[in-house]
Amino acid sequence: SLIVDPHGEILAELGNQEFAIADTSEAFAVAGYPPGQGFVAVGRVSQGATTKALVVRLSEPGQVTWSLGLTEPAASDAEFRAVALTGNDIIAVGELVFGGTPQLYVARVGTDGKDVWRKVLTPFAASHNGGVAVGGSAIFIAAWGALDGNDVGIVVLDMFGNEQNTAKTAAPGDQ
């Protein structure tokens, strides 16, 4: 991996690092802190029959600083697929599966690896995550799921994880 400035000059070569968190771990998204402060990756981690949503803090050279596996009681599967930063805190978004039905899973994690809050959201009958962005004092989550076919929506949360608004598009067929 390389860090390149806007003019195409190589500023640093990070190399490639491999690490194992448990029996099986997968990363699906990454976000970078300012130069020299490292990265955060999100995904899932499985140990035996348990699968948890994963947040991993990495140093600039790619060494694991800490990792956190999150899930909720009665969930059969959990994973994070998108990540954004708000200051030094991490907003991770993915899904949990309860009784075969996926629901949105959102967590705010401190830069020290402490769980700040977690929310399970159901904007659709079966809800999936498509991405996350942080702007001002709001968290914007792209979602899709079953409404009238597969439809799309945006869920807006405040910085405490409270739902502020949800907009859904329902049209015949898949969106």
Side-chain angles (χ1 to χ4, degrees), residues 5-169:
D5 74 8
H7 306 289
E9 293 205 27
I10 297 173
L11 300 176
E13 185 171 343
L14 300 176
N16 293 315
Q17 296 290 331
E18 291 184 25
F19 54 89
I21 305 292
D23 294 346
T24 303
S25 53
E26 298 174 87
F28 299 123
V30 65
Y33 287 98
Q37 295 182 29
F39 307 89
V40 63
V42 297
R44 68 176 165 219
V45 60
S46 299
Q47 200 157 23
T50 304
T51 300
K52 294 182 178 181
L54 175 67
V55 180
V56 179
R57 181 77 156 86
L58 303 162
S59 66
E60 188 85 2
Q63 300 298 317
V64 175
T65 304
W66 54 259
S67 66
L68 180 63
L70 299 172
T71 191
E72 301 297 318
S76 62
D77 191 22
E79 65 183 31
F80 289 131
R81 289 252 173 201
V83 64
L85 300 174
T86 178
N88 286 329
D89 282 359
I90 300 153
I91 305 295
V93 180
E95 58 189 60
L96 287 167
V97 177
F98 292 99
T101 302
Q103 297 177 19
L104 289 183
Y105 194 36
V106 184
R108 182 171 182 165
V109 177
T111 191
D112 57 359
K114 300 265 192 286
D115 180 11
V116 177
W117 53 255
R118 290 180 273 166
K119 302 289 179 168
V120 177
L121 307 169
T122 311
F124 297 98
S127 299
H128 304 276
N129 165 251
V132 63
V134 175
S137 60
I139 300 165
F140 303 91
I141 301 167
W144 64 276
L147 194 58
D148 185 4
N150 279 322
D151 296 300
V152 296
I154 298 285
V155 179
V156 182
L157 305 177
D158 66 16
M159 289 300 170
F160 302 101
N162 300 310
E163 194 169 334
Q164 301 299 302
N165 195 8
T166 298
K168 297 183 264 192
T169 298

